[in-house]
Amino acid sequence: ILNASTKWTVSSAVLATLLWKRDESVSWCVVGSILNAFNCKVLKKLISAPRPDGALKVDPGMPSSHGCSLGFLSTYTALDQFHLAGPAVSWSLGLGGIFLSSLRVVLGFHTAAQVAVGHAIGCASAYAWRIWGEATVLPLVRENSGYRITLYIVTAVAFAAFAFRVLR
């Protein structure tokens, strides 16, 4: 039940945050998270490494998609909250992402290497996406309502496409 609920819990939390905050920073994070998930799926097909013996799924396991997504979201949120809530909260968010990712190994869905690589890709992607956004994209979006509307439309389309893919 833990495995089946993870994607719904994380997706619901992201959607709730998006609807609650309704700002360009959260939209930027959501778009980055979805691109990160897509990138992970492409890498998974290219690498095509098997999951561990006894895993319930038969698709490739390297890198772990859950690890990649949890790495991205926990790192992005930790970076975002560092100055707002302090280092303790930031570290807790990062460590929480590591803990949740590690459950994939405990449950037998991935090897430790598959989860570690996925999580590392997610962390690196979040760091780069946030730095790029804060340095170049978000200042433009905050100054120009046309760019802001475009970001919101891209976010809605990306989220809808992600939801469609998850639901099918």
Side-chain angles (χ1 to χ4, degrees):
I1 194 162
L2 183 61
N3 177 53
S5 67
T6 304
K7 70 179 172 185
W8 298 110
T9 302
V10 172
S11 297
S12 297
V14 169
L15 179 61
T17 302
L18 186 61
L19 295 174
W20 173 54
K21 296 276 291 190
R22 294 189 310 258
D23 68 15
E24 56 276 347
S25 295
V26 174
S27 291
W28 183 249
C29 175
V30 169
V31 171
S33 176
I34 292 169
L35 289 173
N36 175 66
F38 175 77
N39 180 45
C40 185
K41 291 294 186 186
V42 170
L43 288 172
K44 189 177 280 232
K45 287 190 186 294
L46 291 173
I47 297 169
S48 195
R51 290 176 183 263
D53 291 337
L56 297 176
K57 294 180 111 182
V58 295
D59 66 322
M62 174 67 88
S64 164
S65 298
H66 281 79
C68 201
S69 292
L70 289 166
F72 185 96
L73 291 169
S74 64
T75 299
Y76 195 100
T77 306
L79 291 169
D80 192 57
Q81 292 301 305
F82 187 82
H83 294 294
L84 297 172
V89 170
S90 187
W91 276 101
S92 296
L93 290 165
L95 292 172
I98 292 169
F99 170 74
L100 292 173
S101 291
S102 71
L103 290 177
R104 305 299 292 172
V105 178
V106 173
L107 294 170
F109 294 110
H110 290 284
T111 66
Q114 291 169 343
V115 170
V117 168
H119 198 86
I121 290 169
C123 291
S125 297
Y127 180 79
W129 188 255
R130 188 168 189 284
I131 295 300
W132 180 47
E134 290 296 329
T136 58
V137 178
L138 290 174
L140 295 172
V141 166
R142 289 177 182 128
E143 291 175 8
N144 185 304
S145 63
Y147 290 154
R148 191 168 33 258
I149 290 168
T150 300
L151 175 60
Y152 292 154
I153 291 169
V154 168
T155 304
V157 169
F159 198 88
F162 178 79
F164 176 76
R165 189 196 170 307
V166 168
L167 292 173
R168 67 176 175 108

